[in-house]
Amino acid sequence: MASDIRIRLRDDLADLKPYDPGLSAQEIVLSANENPFGMPDCVREAALSAVADVAFERYPDPLADGLRDDIAAWHGVERSQVIVGNGGDELIFDLLLAFGGRGRVLLDCPPTFSIYALYAKLTDTEIVAIPRNAADFSLDRKAVEHAAESADIVMITSPNNPTGNTVDPDWVASLAERARGIVVVDEAYIEFADEGSSCAGLMRDHGNVAILRTFSKAFALAGVRCGYLLAPEGVVDGIAAVRQPYSVDAIGQAVSRVVVAHRDAYEDAIATIKEERERLTSALRDTGCIEVWPSQGNFVLVRMPGAHAAYERLRDEFSILTRDFSRSPFLSDCLRITVGTPQENDRVIAALASLGKESS
């Protein structure tokens, strides 16, 4: 029976493969856009204290209302406009489960976060893809505006993963006015972007704009898995109705509340990452054989001859793990490199300069 059990899988999922982040044990891991500096000491101490007070024998607050209140106060919204999930991924899935499905349309703008299309497929949601402009990965605004008029969910990622570019909030405001459905702006990396880049303020004047955020990136909680959505009350209610019970555990809620309270403690690390991003970009361009796109995230996208071989050599010879997009649609010969510590970035620069000389 076991050998034949896969034939019972849904026909439309027969060719589906597990999501693979490409992780492997290396000295330097720059593949997952994590904060290399981790928690500031003061936040870690407060977090450990909060965890020590967790009642492990009790189920957690089912909707994480304490954390929702903290996030609402931070962003100047009501609790009813906040929902928390097991990472941003769960919220994306639940959004598609509640507002997508058969006969509904997700507007996607590849290359972007592949989870959108994956979860659309899992929820039987039709995908309308408007590819980004090949030269700079900017959005095809006119095409997006037209498609948004008949889409149920419009996914806009700012800064975009893996290309690093942002969108103009004024344009998103005009898009929301034309859109039939919900305009979701995924701002997982917004803390690394220039001031004024966020679209969160649009929620006050547009009843169909939702903002996705996470604690995994700038706030160094990738291991905890906690994200949140700022959205109209009707969107929050819809997601709350379909989400798995107790999906955000008590430890995640406690630690995330500490991070919200101590969020200013991350400012120095974020500033350093932004400075290192510019240094990494400049140094890689100076090699003369690597194309680097401007980025507002904590990563850079590069294109170089033989990128897949370079990825393997970085991993096997230099013990540096990057993210290989070289065989992905729209991203031929591209690697994504997370901005690491200054010492890690020095090693990446030296390794890629060495590989570049060999290929020239």
Side-chain angles (χ1 to χ4, degrees), residues 13-347:
L13 301 182
D15 61 347
L16 201 63
K17 300 292 189 296
Y19 178 76
D20 180 11
L23 295 177
S24 65
Q26 306 298 328
E27 291 179 11
I28 298 177
V29 177
L30 302 177
S31 62
N33 299 341
E34 298 152 329
N35 183 334
F37 298 104
M39 274 186 165
D41 290 342
C42 64
V43 183
R44 180 175 291 277
E45 291 173 8
L48 291 173
S49 177
V51 170
D53 290 336
V54 167
F56 291 97
E57 73 280 9
R58 302 295 182 188
Y59 284 107
D61 181 333
L63 286 176
D65 282 342
L67 178 56
R68 292 172 73 200
D69 286 339
D70 294 347
I71 293 170
W74 173 13
H75 291 287
V77 299
E78 301 297 322
R79 177 204 284 181
S80 60
Q81 296 173 297
V82 180
I83 189 160
V84 178
N86 189 268
D89 293 1
E90 182 197 17
L91 293 167
I92 295 167
F93 183 84
D94 288 345
L95 182 77
L96 283 158
L97 188 62
F99 296 95
R102 185 167 299 178
R104 303 290 183 90
V105 173
L106 167 73
L107 176 54
D108 195 24
C109 301
T112 191
F113 191 30
S114 62
I115 286 293
Y116 308 146
L118 172 62
Y119 287 175
K121 184 169 185 176
L122 291 178
T123 56
D124 201 16
T125 305
E126 180 184 350
I127 304 167
V128 171
I130 305 296
R132 292 169 176 264
N133 296 311
D136 60 0
F137 297 114
S138 61
L139 292 171
D140 184 340
R141 289 188 176 189
K142 288 185 178 180
V144 170
E145 290 166 2
H146 177 72
E149 294 176 357
S150 55
D152 298 280
I153 302 171
V154 179
M155 289 298 307
I156 302 293
T157 317
S158 184
N160 186 48
N161 174 22
T163 63
N165 43 337
T166 56
V167 294
D168 180 357
D170 290 338
W171 176 75
V172 176
S174 66
L175 177 67
E177 292 174 0
R178 298 186 59 167
R180 181 181 76 179
I182 305 164
V183 177
V184 183
V185 187
D186 185 343
E187 294 189 344
Y189 301 95
I190 198 65
E191 290 82 9
F192 304 107
D194 292 340
E195 187 174 352
S197 298
S198 175
C199 294
L202 301 181
M203 284 183 54
R204 287 190 294 270
D205 301 317
H206 298 82
N208 62 337
V209 173
I211 308 296
L212 183 65
R213 295 281 186 90
T214 183
F215 294 108
S216 295
K217 306 304 182 181
F219 298 107
L221 282 191
V224 168
R225 307 303 299 125
C226 190
Y228 61 95
L229 189 75
L230 308 174
E233 187 172 343
V235 174
V236 170
D237 289 345
I239 293 174
V242 303
R243 72 195 295 270
Q244 292 187 18
Y246 308 115
S247 67
V248 182
D249 64 50
I251 294 174
Q253 292 184 37
V255 173
S256 297
R257 294 193 70 180
V258 168
V259 167
V260 173
H262 293 80
R263 59 189 180 274
D264 291 347
Y266 290 84
E267 289 181 357
D268 287 346
I270 292 171
T272 299
I273 289 169
K274 293 168 73 172
E275 292 169 0
E276 284 295 299
R277 177 185 67 204
E278 302 313 309
R279 184 174 75 90
L280 181 62
T281 297
S282 178
L284 293 179
R285 284 178 178 160
D286 286 346
T287 64
C289 58
I290 299 176
E291 183 178 7
V292 189
W293 281 271
S295 175
Q296 291 282 292
N298 66 330
F299 53 86
V300 295
L301 184 72
V302 307
R303 174 171 282 150
M304 59 186 298
H308 179 68
Y311 161 81
E312 292 182 326
R313 292 189 62 186
L314 285 170
R315 181 194 62 198
D316 300 337
E317 298 176 25
F318 298 91
S319 197
I320 298 171
L321 187 66
T322 60
R323 188 65 185 269
D324 183 11
F325 284 99
S326 63
R327 297 174 178 175
S328 301
F330 312 106
L331 296 169
S332 60
D333 274 340
C334 284
L335 305 179
R336 190 193 66 198
I337 305 171
T338 304
V339 178
T341 65
Q343 297 77 19
E344 290 172 337
N345 297 330
D346 286 342
R347 285 183 58 179

